[in-house]
């Protein structure tokens, strides 16, 4: 009970009391271990658990408790050992055997699962156990590296095992038939699979609607049996003329049959599934019949009308002249709008077919639609407003279509502003209809507000600075009326980030309440900007959120797989495993892992000792690269923000490809930087060759080789990045956000970091050759120190300027200055880590020189120039860092003094209500910049303290 209530200390005390009386009570020991594990004493917990496990317990309580403990330790492989021992001692226990099977399932030991399943079946001949074993064979075939092995050994064996049960008439459940079908499909025995589904066994497929029909259809397609495909889809459409997937199959098969010039056999049936349509005439007639039938239906069906448009599109695509028989697409879409215009789905339905309209007819088409909407003219503002929700939905549909057809894009600034004004008027009027809506429901007119913001974003991109502030104002207003609208929140997140203000974003993102897989699909909105804009604490938190999800995915997926075995949902098991692999090779996962470690080093590692500890605790090694470069999956949802833009302005496949390429390049640069930093502490342990055996020397020399090889890779990655950026790619404003790579290169941060890593190589050389004959190296190091300070000073010059400026009553933010400051902090940190390595090399040299001085009793032994170079370097670093800190203090003062109240957007567009939101928005941006500057300043002060300790 104490453990369940989270009172772990009391649980440990209770267990101790029990153990005093019964010192061999296994279960009490394990429960104590669980308490220890949960209070952070992992080592003690593990020792106690192993003590019990070594005795190979067979009582259920101890086994269950140990299973819970090992799962919390993320050590599922220990559970298998536990039950292997229990099964040996109690060989006929059905329960222990099934626990052993599930333990193997958790760690993916498919061969052992197969054996455990058969062992279970021998003890208790129940069908599920036999089929567990069969499924484990399929899993071996899926995971086999060699596809040949899977096709010649695992799958045929699985097939024979099922056939044996079929012959003995022992097939009982639907899951067993599903499994048989799955094996035949994977063996590409489509004919046999079809026979199973159509035969007696197929009668068991009842749990899903049309399960048999869907499976037959899939096999007909694989076998290219188009007559059957056609007849079956035709038959299913007669049953339900609203099922879109069957229209697609029907059309596909009709055109395949036309291309093959198929003719029906004279005497017998057309096909196994009945009558076949094999000409355009029949298809046209069939669709017309469906529409006639629909008119008699009790509820309106969209399928038949959209099928007609789909058929026209296909005929046009094939260059046939038969489409006129079906009517004019413009008229058909008009009729469709009249019938379904008040449904929110009307826009998405028609969106697919707008390319059937001739471009010259767009405006006429929109006017035609507007004419049938019942709008009541309001005298004072001359905008005709809808009288009910139905009319509002219809009007919204037309506005969305206008945007999609590019009508708004062709307007000038004045026209666009007047449309924005009209849309906002309609939005506020529409709020009347949603007065009774709950907080969790969206307002009917929300899309008006979103469309107005999209128009303002167009203006902003055309250089109208005030427009972006108005976007934020309208979105904040929209959110106040519709607090659950995710689109408002996502747009606010994107725009605040574009302006360099991260503070409001964290709150907005957490109110989205992203669940499970969304941490991967939309998490990039958060992790891309948090650190880049100097919000280190928030960056840490957002990385942790994402990583928690990715790590728990491992454990959770095992549980799903086990449930699938228990309930016989075999076809889901490969899906779960593919899902797990997809997440493990997620681009976002790799990015978050890398950035999180760099961030931790930045925040925690001040000098080499703490750098070394941090690297150890992260078990980082410069030699290891854990990113699956070849299999990286881009799981980002780039269409999460609604867009009504025409095709030529929307996100294209090309944009996705380029964005993935850019993200991968940036990840490579970051990953190599991290590995180079993690190689520094290992070099400091270098032993002077004169007093070391060869082995240690080789160990260290291989480390410097690793560092040098990583440096070459970094140079290559940076070159690829430069080439990529030369293309000057512009993503759509709501498309994928660009990476930080451009800023990294243009700020000079990149050249600065690379030269610092080259300096490491020179200092290592000095360390191995000694001071005597190293004048040349010393001079080289001296020059490197000088150029390093010059580069850092240059980087600082790119951070100067006002972060927020007021120009002609408008605000303009400069997020690039903020990003450059963040790069400066990172680069100065690398400079420090390199300097402390340098320090660890020069200190022993200095003490040796001083010893010599004492021996010879000379008043002065000439100090090698490298010492003066280093001291000058450290002094200049100190001065530079102090200057930057002063600059930041200046920024803080300016930001605090900035009075935003007097700012009004000159446009008289602003209502009193809007002014309130404008003030809020500007306040949020100002506060966010202030916060960023504070966090950057704090971190730099830490660095300054470290520099002061570096005087050798």
């Amino acid at each position: 009970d104490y453990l369940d209530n989270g009172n772990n200390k009391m649980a440990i005390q209770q267990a101790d009391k029990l153990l005093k009386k019964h010192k061999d009570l296994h279960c009490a020991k394990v429960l104590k271990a669980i308490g220890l594990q949960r209070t952070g004493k992992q080592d003690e917990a593990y020792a106690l658990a192993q003590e019990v496990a070594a005795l190979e317990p067979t009582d259920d309580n101890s086994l269950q408790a140990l299973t819970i403990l090992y799962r919390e330790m993320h050590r599922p492989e220990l559970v298998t050992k536990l039950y292997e021992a229990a099964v040996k001692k109690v060989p006929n226990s059905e329960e222990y055997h099934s626990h052993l099977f599930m333990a193997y399932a958790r760690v993916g030991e498919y061969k052992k699962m197969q054996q455990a399943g058969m062992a279970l079946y021998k003890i208790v001949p129940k069908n599920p156990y036999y089929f567990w074993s069969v499924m484990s064979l399929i899993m071996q075939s899926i995971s086999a590296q060699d596809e040949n092995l899977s096709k010649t050994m695992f799958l045929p064996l699985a097939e024979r095992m099922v056939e044996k049960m079929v012959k003995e008439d022992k097939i009982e459940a639907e899951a067993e038939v599903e499994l048989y079908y799955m094996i035949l499909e994977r063996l590409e025995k489509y004919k046999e699979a079809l026979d199973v589904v159509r035969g007696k066994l197929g009668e068991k497929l009842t749990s899903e609607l049309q399960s048999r029909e869907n499976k037959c259809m899939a096999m007909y397609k694989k076998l290219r049996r188009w007559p059957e495909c056609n007849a079956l889809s035709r038959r299913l459409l007669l049953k339900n003329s609203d099922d879109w997937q069957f229209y697609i199959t029907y059309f596909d098969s009709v055109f395949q049959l036309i291309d093959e010039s198929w003719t029906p056999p004279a005497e017998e049936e057309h096909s196994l599934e009945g009558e076949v349509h094999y000409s355009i005439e029949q298809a046209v007639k069939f669709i017309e019949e469906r529409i006639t039938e629909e008119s008699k239906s009790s509820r309106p069906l969209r399928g038949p009308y959209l099928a007609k448009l789909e058929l026209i599109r296909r005929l046009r695509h094939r260059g046939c002249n038969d489409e006129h028989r079906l009517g004019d697409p413009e008229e058909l879409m008009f009729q469709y709008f009249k019938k379904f215009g008040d449904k929110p789905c009307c826009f998405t339905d028609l969106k697919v077919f707008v390319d059937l309209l001739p471009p010259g007819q767009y405006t006429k088409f929109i006017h035609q639609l507007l004419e049938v909407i019942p709008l009541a003219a309001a005298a004072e503002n001359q905008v005709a407003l809808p009288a009910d929700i139905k009319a509002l939905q219809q009007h919204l549909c037309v506005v969305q279509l206008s945007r999609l057809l590019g009508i708004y894009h062709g307007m000038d600034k004045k026209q666009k502003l007047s449309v924005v004004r009209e849309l906002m008027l309609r939005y506020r009027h529409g709020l009347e209809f949603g007065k009774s809506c709950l907080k969790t429901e969206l307002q009917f007119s929300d899309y008006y507000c979103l469309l107005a913001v999209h128009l303002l974003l167009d203006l902003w991109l055309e250089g109208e600075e005030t427009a972006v502030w108005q976007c934020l104002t309208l979105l904040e207003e929209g959110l106040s009326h519709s607090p659950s609208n995710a689109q408002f929140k996502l747009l606010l997140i994107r725009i605040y980030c574009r302006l360099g203000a991260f503070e409001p974003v964290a709150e907005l993102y957490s109110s989205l309440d992203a669940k499970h897989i969304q941490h991967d699909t939309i998490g990039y909105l958060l992790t891309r900007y948090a650190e880049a804009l100097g919000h280190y604490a928030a960056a840490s938190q957002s990385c942790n959120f994402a990583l928690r999800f990715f790590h728990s995915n491992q454990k959770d997926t095992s549980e799903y797989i086990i449930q699938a075995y228990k309930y016989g949902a075999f076809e889901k098991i490969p899906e779960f495993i593919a899902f797990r692999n997809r997440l493990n090779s997620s681009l976002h996962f790799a990015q978050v892992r890398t950035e999180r470690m760099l961030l931790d080093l930045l925040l925690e590692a001040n000098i080499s000792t703490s750098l070394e500890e941090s690297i150890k605790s992260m078990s980082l090694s410069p030699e290891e690269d854990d990113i699956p470069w070849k299999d990286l999956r881009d799981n980002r949802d780039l269409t999460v923000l609604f867009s009504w833009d025409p095709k030529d302005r929307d996100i294209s496949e090309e944009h996705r490809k380029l964005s993935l390429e850019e993200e991968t390049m940036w990840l490579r640069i970051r990953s190599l930087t991290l590995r180079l930093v993690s190689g520094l502490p290992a070099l400091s342990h270098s032993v002077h060759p004169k007093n070391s055996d060869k082995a240690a020397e080789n160990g260290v020399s291989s480390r410097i080789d690793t560092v040098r090889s990583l440096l070459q890779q970094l140079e290559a990655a940076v070159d690829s990045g430069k080439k990529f950026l030369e293309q000057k790619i512009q993503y759509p404003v709501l498309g994928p956000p660009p990476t930080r790579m451009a800023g990294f290169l243009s700020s000079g941060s990149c050249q600065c970091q690379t030269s610092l890593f080259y300096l490491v190589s020179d200092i290592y050389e000095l360390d191995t050759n000694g001071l005597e004959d190293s004048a040349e190296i010393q001079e080289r190091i001296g020059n490197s120190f000088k150029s390093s300070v010059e580069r850092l000073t240059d980087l600082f010059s790119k951070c100067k300027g006002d972060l927020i400026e007021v120009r002609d009553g408008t605000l303009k933010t400069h997020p690039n200055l903020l990003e450059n400051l963040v790069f400066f902090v990172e680069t100065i940190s690398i400079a420090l880590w390199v300097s402390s390595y340098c320090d660890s090399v020069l200190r022993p040299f200095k003490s040796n020189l001083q010893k010599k001085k004492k021996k010879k009793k000379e008043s002065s032994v000439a100090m090698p120039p490298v010492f003066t170079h280093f001291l000058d370097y450290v002094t200049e670093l100190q001065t530079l860092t102090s200057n930057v800190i002063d600059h930041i203090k200046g920024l803080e003062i300016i930001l605090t003094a900035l009075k935003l109240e007097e700012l009004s957007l000159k446009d008289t567009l602003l209502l009193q209500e809007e002014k309130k939101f404008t003030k809020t928005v500007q306040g949020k941006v100002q506060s966010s910049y202030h916060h960023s500057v504070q966090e950057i300043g704090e971190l730099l002060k830490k660095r300054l303290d470290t520099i002061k300790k570096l005087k050798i």
Side-chain angles (χ1 to χ4, degrees), residues 484-513:
S484 296
N485 191 322
Q487 287 300 320
F488 286 160
K489 292 174 188 175
L490 289 164
L491 251 176
L492 278 167
I493 287 174
R494 283 302 299 270
I495 298 172
Y496 275 129
C497 286
R498 282 284 296 253
L499 292 177
F502 187 78
E503 200 173 39
V505 169
E507 196 184 326
L508 283 163
Y509 187 84
S510 78
S511 74
L512 276 172
D513 201 14

Side-chain angles (χ1 to χ4, degrees), residues 520-631:
D520 189 18
T521 55
I522 62 173
Y524 70 93
L525 294 170
L526 206 56
T527 49
R528 155 66 182 87
Y529 289 103
E531 185 191 351
L533 297 171
H535 283 257
Y536 296 112
S540 237
Q541 205 181 1
S542 55
C543 287
N544 286 347
F545 267 153
L547 287 175
R548 205 173 302 144
F549 159 66
F550 284 115
H551 292 317
S552 70
N553 152 53
Q554 286 292 347
K555 199 170 68 183
D556 295 348
T557 312
S558 306
E559 296 311 311
Y560 307 150
I561 291 168
I562 284 167
Q563 295 305 320
Y565 270 109
K566 275 186 186 161
Y567 296 108
F570 296 124
E571 76 279 11
K572 291 291 166 220
I573 295 171
E575 287 177 30
F576 287 141
I577 287 177
F579 176 71
R580 176 165 67 193
N581 296 341
R582 182 173 176 173
L583 284 180
N584 286 341
S585 47
S586 155
L587 165 76
H588 188 232
F589 182 25
Q591 287 170 325
V592 172
R593 269 199 323 260
T594 309
E595 290 296 346
R596 170 64 213 275
M597 292 195 267
L598 276 166
L599 189 63
D600 281 356
L601 292 179
L602 207 58
L603 298 178
E604 288 157 24
N606 258 331
I607 32 177
S608 57
T609 46
S610 61
L611 178 68
E612 191 176 343
E613 282 158 21
S614 299
I615 286 168
K616 214 182 224 159
S617 73
M618 294 179 200
S619 39
L620 258 177
S621 138
E623 292 82 16
E624 281 172 32
D625 183 5
D626 65 345
I627 296 173
W629 295 105
K630 282 196 177 74
D631 305 320

